[in-house]
Amino acid sequence: MKQLAINVLSIHTPKGVYVLVYRKLRLDVQKKTLRQDEEITVCMEFALEKNKPEAKFGIRKFLDADDYELLNDFEKNQELIKDKITKSNPQINGVDDMPYVIAIGRDLLVDLHQEYEAIHKMYEKDEVTIPIKAFFGELLKQVDRRKNYPITLLDRKINLDQLLAIHNAMKYPLAYIQGPPGTGKTNTIVNTMVTAFFNEKTVLFASYNNHPIDGVCDKLKSIPYRNKGMIPFPIIRLGNDKCVLQALDDIRDLYKRTKDISIFDSTLEKNKDDKTRRTEKLTKLLQRHEERIELKEREEAILKMIETNQHLTFQTELQGVQLQEVRKKLAEIGEITDEEALKLVVEDEELFKKYLYYTSAKYIQRLKEPKNQDLMEIVNCPDEEKKVKQFNTYIRQEENLKKFQRIFPIIATTSISAHKIGEPGTYFDMVIMDEASQGNIAMSLVPIIRGRSLMLVGDPQQLSPVILLNPIDNEKLKRIYGVTDEYDYIKNSIYKTYLACDAVSEEILLSHHYRCNKKIISFNNKKYYNNKLIINSPDKEANPLIFKNIPANTTNYKNTAPQEVEEIISFIKEHPDKSIGIITPFTNQKELINKALKDNGMENIPCGTVHAFQGDEKDVVLFSLAITQQTYQGTYDWLKNNKELINVATSRAKDQLVILSDIKELKRLHSAGDDDIYELVDYVQTNGEAQVTARETSSRALGIKPYSTQTEAAFLTTLNHALDNVLNTNIY
């Protein structure tokens, strides 16, 4: 799609012209002339070449975060904006404000109008799915399917939280799973899929990007069984043309591997009676576990209220009656162990893998059926471009999709590519969405409308969606269409929106942490997770926390620290046996580090901003802050309390976290009040001994319900005042 426009301000980069500000040109039919809009359009992201990530430019590369507000009144601040861009970016060839006509291209990857029409049809036919009802705040009570599905596991590496997550995902049409870093989120998803497959359910697995999808697919494709190699598990990975081509090759290979396997019904016989008994017992145990979690939260709330209330009568009621009652119930439930639960779910591992092997082969062998001949013709087509095109047409048709699901009941794809799977409609028993806290609302609905139930897996304490919509345009659109804050496109992920609109479904916290050295993750635990994480990870490294003070970080290139780059290269040379990742908040520093890595033959060492590392882990993480004499206060203010960035960056390190910065410049920019970066540096410098101030947050799963935010503290004060009035007033 092309849009004619008048240039207002462009930036001449070495790779081409980035059109930052323009006015749209519209055809005046009556006068037969082109007329420019009175209002300007700010382009937050611009691609010089189509489908080339390296050719993309964002506003953050040229303006500091504290200067964005200047764009809100561009005409007033135009000269100041030009000065700031040219002064901070010596690598560019200046700016261009000449009013010439340009053609702006816009990629429309998905027709969302067509997708959302499926929602209208649901309401017209009175066939609205529970996930869609919950999205619009229409869920008034938790819907229980009543049936308890048997849980099947690949191995014994599981805990009670994960079992509860799988159980709820199978039993209820909605399940929200908060998975902090290193808590076995991928393991939970994998075992949910295996359980769904065992119970003959179809699954659409989606995420906003490729990394989590590939991780889950790789695990399910690499399940070994005796001397027969890998189990041909019937999951297929779809997406862009490259993914589709690989999928077609995988289908051909799976067919060759399974076509001669002899399958007997007796081999696939399941002891249903035994599984039913075990499932009933497990359900009761998990209900006890869930009740225990709720009681512990009530206990914590009562203790907090006792602490904040000074009225003796009320304290006596809380402590003498309510607290005792809660603790009595906790004692009755008793402790519940992972081992106790595993006895009710884990059977002979080799026997279950045998079942998986032959059942998977049975699914793949359906490719032999005459009704799947058209699919096999596509698979065997020698022309790669042609067969990708044919397959995309094939899978779009409802009848073909249903045939395909008989062979591959589990399909994995990105949210944006989910629109290629059938016409918009409900085809899958379950949609599982990973990294839902990073999924934007608009695109996440594309896979969601295709499922009868929904399992959202995410972590609001980690990265939010990257939304490049201008905040001014967003507010304008909200006013025009009456959009409430729950659906604010910029502020919310799909995960946050669902939690805001659905007050009845439960959120489960995966609380057991297995990744990071205890001293590393303890900062995040205290700061962002209300101390709810149970740390089970081993301490392999004697010095898990290192701060490297890099003074004299002087540079003319915005948001770079060349001296830190030198130290990074030296560190890598000194530790050739470690898996190392490099994270920095700034794109320019990332580019500088990557150039140095290339010059030193270290291209295998990954370096990026934090978005490239979510879901990843390394033995050592080097966190380059790139704070220098040239760092503006506004830039530091953007960074210092960026909890999602800090949380993700630090929690990628398994054994060692190394922070590089100039302590003098940090002290210059630091001021009284909240400053997570400064607190993190202090924590690292003192080897984890410095005090960590908990970040105020609101989360069902973290047990922060009526007592941790400023609003809730005010509520307690008001409650105390009201109680005093009631108890001190004589009533005759």
Side-chain angles (χ1 to χ4, degrees), residues 422-539:
E423 295 293 333
T426 308
Y427 303 105
F428 295 85
D429 296 311
M430 177 189 292
V431 171
I432 300 175
M433 182 168 288
D434 195 7
E435 303 290 8
S437 48
Q438 281 191 270
N440 71 66
I441 300 169
M443 207 59 69
S444 297
L445 284 173
V446 175
I448 288 172
I449 61 176
R450 284 165 165 77
R452 283 175 282 277
S453 71
L454 175 63
M455 178 187 189
L456 280 183
V457 186
D459 182 8
Q461 309 305 317
Q462 296 190 62
L463 294 174
S464 300
V466 179
I467 306 296
L468 296 169
L469 179 65
N470 191 319
I472 298 174
D473 294 337
N474 183 56
E475 291 301 319
K476 189 189 300 179
L477 291 168
K478 282 175 67 179
R479 286 196 303 273
I480 293 172
Y481 294 104
V483 177
T484 58
D485 287 343
E486 293 90 345
Y487 303 100
D488 189 299
Y489 189 63
I490 291 180
K491 294 178 182 177
N492 294 316
S493 64
I494 191 68
Y495 193 91
K496 288 181 179 178
T497 293
Y498 260 98
L499 286 182
C501 297
D502 178 8
V504 300
S505 303
E506 291 296 321
E507 185 184 16
I508 297 166
L509 175 71
L510 303 181
S511 62
H512 291 261
H513 179 90
Y514 300 101
R515 177 190 295 157
C516 306
N517 184 289
K518 185 175 182 177
K519 281 195 173 180
I520 296 173
I521 199 63
S522 287
F523 176 85
N524 308 61
N525 193 19
K526 294 171 184 175
K527 173 69 69 175
Y528 304 121
Y529 294 103
N530 199 30
N531 244 358
K532 293 289 183 180
L533 299 185
I534 302 164
I535 303 170
N536 303 117
S537 44
D539 292 343

Side-chain angles (χ1 to χ4, degrees), residues 305-323:
M305 293 185 78
I306 291 170
E307 182 187 325
T308 58
N309 190 278
Q310 304 301 315
H311 202 286
L312 185 60
T313 305
F314 189 51
Q315 278 193 336
T316 303
E317 167 65 21
L318 286 171
Q319 197 159 1
V321 181
Q322 295 190 33
L323 185 61

Side-chain angles (χ1 to χ4, degrees), residues 1 64 82 118 143 170 233 302 317 390 427 440 543 605:
M1 176 180 159
D64 290 314
K82 287 191 284 186
V143 181
M170 295 301 300
F233 193 80
I302 292 169
E317 167 65 21
Q390 287 179 340
Y427 303 105
N440 71 66
N543 299 305
I605 304 293

Side-chain angles (χ1 to χ4, degrees), residues 262-278:
S262 298
I263 300 171
F264 305 96
D265 288 339
S266 59
T267 307
L268 305 181
E269 189 63 34
K270 296 171 284 188
N271 191 334
K272 293 183 179 180
D273 291 339
D274 178 58
K275 283 193 177 296
T276 300
R277 285 194 299 271
R278 286 150 64 103

Side-chain angles (χ1 to χ4, degrees), residues 607-635:
C607 171
T609 57
V610 71
H611 294 87
F613 279 87
Q614 177 137 338
D616 203 356
E617 59 183 42
K618 297 293 177 185
D619 295 339
V620 182
V621 165
L622 304 176
F623 193 12
S624 175
L625 297 182
I627 302 298
T628 72
Q629 293 176 356
Q630 284 73 35
T631 302
Y632 296 122
Q633 188 66 52
T635 301

Side-chain angles (χ1 to χ4, degrees), residues 24-165:
K24 296 176 183 176
L25 281 176
R26 303 187 188 276
L27 177 64
D28 187 325
V29 178
Q30 187 177 2
K31 296 181 179 180
K32 298 180 181 180
T33 58
L34 289 172
R35 175 175 52 82
Q36 68 175 357
D37 279 0
E38 291 186 9
E39 294 186 357
I40 62 159
T41 298
V42 178
C43 189
M44 304 296 283
E45 188 176 64
F46 192 85
L48 298 173
E49 292 184 61
K50 191 176 180 180
N51 299 326
K52 285 193 176 181
E54 67 274 13
K56 284 187 177 180
F57 288 88
I59 188 66
R60 187 173 291 169
K61 188 174 178 68
F62 303 101
L63 276 178
D64 290 314
D66 59 318
D67 293 327
Y68 291 175
E69 62 184 33
L70 295 174
L71 294 167
N72 297 342
D73 191 347
F74 177 80
E75 291 181 340
K76 176 184 175 182
N77 301 316
Q78 185 170 357
E79 295 305 316
L80 181 59
I81 291 168
K82 287 191 284 186
D83 287 344
K84 285 183 176 290
I85 291 173
T86 52
K87 182 180 178 181
S88 302
N89 300 277
Q91 79 281 9
I92 66 172
N93 298 317
V95 295
D96 187 350
D97 58 1
M98 292 292 291
Y100 48 79
V101 177
I102 51 176
I104 304 288
R106 196 181 293 272
D107 286 337
L108 298 177
L109 302 175
V110 181
D111 184 353
L112 289 177
H113 291 287
Q114 186 181 358
E115 291 293 320
Y116 295 165
E117 186 63 28
I119 299 175
H120 288 288
K121 289 179 180 177
M122 286 181 191
Y123 279 95
E124 287 173 0
K125 296 178 180 179
D126 196 23
E127 296 175 351
V128 187
T129 62
I130 300 299
I132 294 300
K133 282 186 177 180
F135 180 80
F136 289 110
E138 298 173 354
L139 207 59
L140 302 178
K141 64 177 182 179
Q142 193 172 45
V143 181
D144 188 345
R145 289 187 178 134
R146 301 192 184 280
K147 181 178 177 180
N148 293 311
Y149 292 92
I151 294 175
T152 53
L153 306 173
L154 290 179
D155 52 44
R156 296 181 62 85
K157 296 176 181 176
I158 202 154
N159 58 54
L160 274 166
D161 295 335
Q162 294 170 355
L163 283 172
L164 184 61

